[in-house]
Structures are given as C-alpha cells and as structure tokens.
Amino acid sequence: MVWDEVKQCLVLSDAVCLVTGGAAGVGAALVSSLLTENAQHVAFLDIEEKKGAALETQLNAKFGALRAKFIKCDIANEDELTRAYKLVTDKYRRLDVVVNNAAVLSRDGENSGRMVDVNFKASVNSTFKAVEAMSAENGGSGGVVVNISSLLALNQDSRLAVYSATKAAVLQFTVTLGKEPFYTNSKVRLLTVCPGPTDTAIYHRQNLQNHPAHLTQPYFQKQSVESAVLGIIEVIKTGASGSVWKVADDEPAQDISQHVKKGFTVFSSVVKK
C-alpha cells in the first residue's frame, strides 16, 4: 500500500483490509471491490456464517486462494471482536485499512439496544483496536479507518430516531478523534462516510421506500450498491483525517466536511459566553 504522489491518492495494492458486516450488501460488494483494487488480503466479519463462508469460497475462486478470509464474529461482543482482530494481525502481521460497515437498522422500539451496541459501541471499539494495530506510535505503518455513518446523522427523522442517533454519534466520534494532532502522531486517517439509502436487502426489509419521509425529503433517493462502494473506495484513497463524505444519489463521493464544521460552529456558539 503506497501513496501516489502524482494522483494524490492511496494505492491499495498489497493492502491488508478488514471489513465489518462483510457477508452481504454493501459490505460484501466492498470486500470484492478491495480485492479488485489488488488488496493482498481482505478479512471480513459477520454473524451470517453461511453467507460469509459462501462469499469466501466465491472470492477465493475468483481472486486467488487465501485472498479473502471470513471470520464469524458478533462485533457487539468485545471478546469476539478482540479475537477477530488478533486472528487478522497474527495471520497477516499488519493491518492497513478497516471499514466499520456493520449496522442494524430497525424502526424505533425494535432492537434499540442492539442498534446502539452494533452501530455505535462496536464501531468505537473496532476503531480503537484498528488504531492500536496501525499507529506509528505503536510501531505500525499507519493506515485508514472508515466509519460508516448515514445522511440520517444530519437529517432528523422522527421514525428512525435511535438509528439516526447512533449514526450521529459515529460521525461526532470519528470527526473529533480524527482531528490533528491525531494523524500527525499516528499516521492513521479516520474518515466518516454518510451514505444515502442504498438498494440493499435491509432497505427493502424495513420497507423504507414506503416511509412517509420518502415522499417529501430529497434525501430518500435510493442509490445502487455499486455507487455506494465506488464512493467508499474513493474516500479510502483520498480522504483527509477527520473529513466527512456524502455518498448518495448515484453520484461521486462529496467532501461535506466544511458543512459539518459550520453546523458544529453554530452549535458551539450556543455554549460560548
């Protein structure tokens, strides 16, 4: 994994990557895309054992033996997450890219605790484990951590209050931690991606296309999985630590860091005397 000075982007060749929630949907497509980008190894974590094992077999047949590694893991269980990270770092001796993609989406009143545990707590724990493995302060070579938030972190929706709150927490955590001097000291870039609704099974399972807000808010324009993954890959390659990116509407990734910063400047003005 090297930095292309001419194109000002990361080249993912030979990178060791880890993706949570990688057995289906955007996660599975992202695992495949990282291998297409010539990542050396991609480990992916998920609780869906059959889907994960089948995807591992499929990807290794396509890209070469041992390139993809499925690890059954409930990331909300910190012991399981710790074991998964240890397996990856012991096996590959390094870690370059982590995408915390796993999430639970339910309407309010359903699985609220699980949404908090998976969407926020597990993302925090995974981020710190990734930084520990990558940080130059610990003898590592630096790397990239992408935390998947949502445009709902920036858009209040009364029917998805818990989900929106967990994604807002992910955004605030990643932006705040990723500020300087974090990158200068660690050489790890912390990035936030806010996808719009994406054409995945979870989207249809929750019947979000018939959500009342769909009819009144332009946010709810559904994008393809391929567009979402292209956007995430672009962010991995080019995003500055602490930056926030919109990936929506089948359009290229858009850096919205200044908009987020402006919003928090307004919030901060309320508490300043």
Side-chain angles (χ1 to χ4, degrees):
M1 189 176 75
V2 297
W3 183 262
D4 186 325
E5 291 291 350
V6 176
K7 295 182 178 180
Q8 289 295 293
C9 70
L10 191 69
V11 178
L12 290 167
S13 296
D14 300 324
V16 174
C17 308
L18 184 153
V19 178
T20 70
V26 170
L30 181 59
V31 172
S32 180
S33 184
L34 287 166
L35 290 169
T36 300
E37 292 279 339
N38 292 319
Q40 185 176 30
H41 300 288
V42 182
F44 58 103
L45 317 184
D46 209 296
I47 59 173
E48 296 286 351
E49 190 166 12
K50 288 184 178 179
K51 289 181 181 178
L55 181 61
E56 179 188 286
T57 299
Q58 175 190 331
L59 293 175
N60 284 330
K62 180 177 180 179
F63 293 101
L66 307 179
R67 297 281 302 284
K69 174 64 178 175
F70 168 64
I71 302 171
K72 185 176 185 298
C73 176
D74 179 356
I75 63 167
N77 183 315
E78 191 167 1
D79 289 338
E80 288 191 26
L81 186 62
T82 298
R83 284 194 294 271
Y85 264 89
K86 187 174 188 306
L87 193 158
V88 172
T89 54
D90 284 353
K91 185 177 182 66
Y92 304 121
R93 312 311 303 172
R94 75 175 201 274
L95 185 58
D96 301 303
V97 177
V98 169
V99 181
N100 289 311
N101 163 75
V104 174
L105 171 60
S106 297
R107 295 177 186 274
D108 289 342
E110 302 173 3
N111 301 318
S112 294
R114 182 69 175 167
M115 276 193 281
V116 173
D117 289 345
V118 172
N119 299 2
F120 181 57
K121 289 183 179 179
S123 292
V124 169
N125 289 335
S126 180
T127 296
F128 283 126
K129 291 180 190 305
V131 170
E132 182 180 6
M134 296 175 179
S135 178
E137 294 180 299
N138 298 331
S141 301
V144 182
V145 179
V146 176
N147 286 332
I148 304 299
S149 177
S150 169
L151 284 186
L152 280 175
L154 307 170
N155 184 66
Q156 295 177 329
D157 185 330
S158 62
R159 297 198 179 194
L160 294 172
V162 177
Y163 179 81
S164 300
T166 62
K167 291 302 187 176
V170 166
L171 185 153
Q172 174 76 330
F173 163 72
T174 312
V175 170
T176 304
L177 184 62
K179 284 182 172 182
E180 287 290 6
F182 179 84
Y183 175 73
T184 297
N185 293 336
S186 67
K187 303 303 179 189
V188 178
R189 290 184 290 134
L190 299 186
L191 310 167
T192 308
V193 171
C194 295
T198 304
D199 192 10
T200 60
I202 191 172
Y203 180 89
H204 294 284
R205 194 159 57 243
Q206 293 299 323
N207 199 27
L208 294 181
Q209 67 271 28
N210 294 323
H211 193 292
H214 183 287
L215 304 177
T216 59
Q217 298 185 31
Y219 159 75
F220 285 93
Q221 181 176 335
K222 188 172 56 178
Q223 69 180 340
S224 70
V225 169
E226 293 75 18
S227 290
V229 169
L230 281 173
I232 295 169
I233 292 291
E234 182 65 18
V235 173
I236 291 171
K237 290 181 175 181
T238 65
S241 188
S243 60
V244 182
W245 296 74
K246 173 184 174 182
V247 175
D249 304 325
D250 287 321
E251 295 180 353
Q254 177 187 355
D255 187 345
I256 60 170
S257 305
Q258 291 304 312
H259 298 287
V260 173
K261 183 178 180 181
K262 186 183 294 186
F264 279 103
T265 299
V266 173
F267 297 155
S268 298
S269 68
V270 175
V271 299
K272 290 179 179 177
K273 293 183 179 180

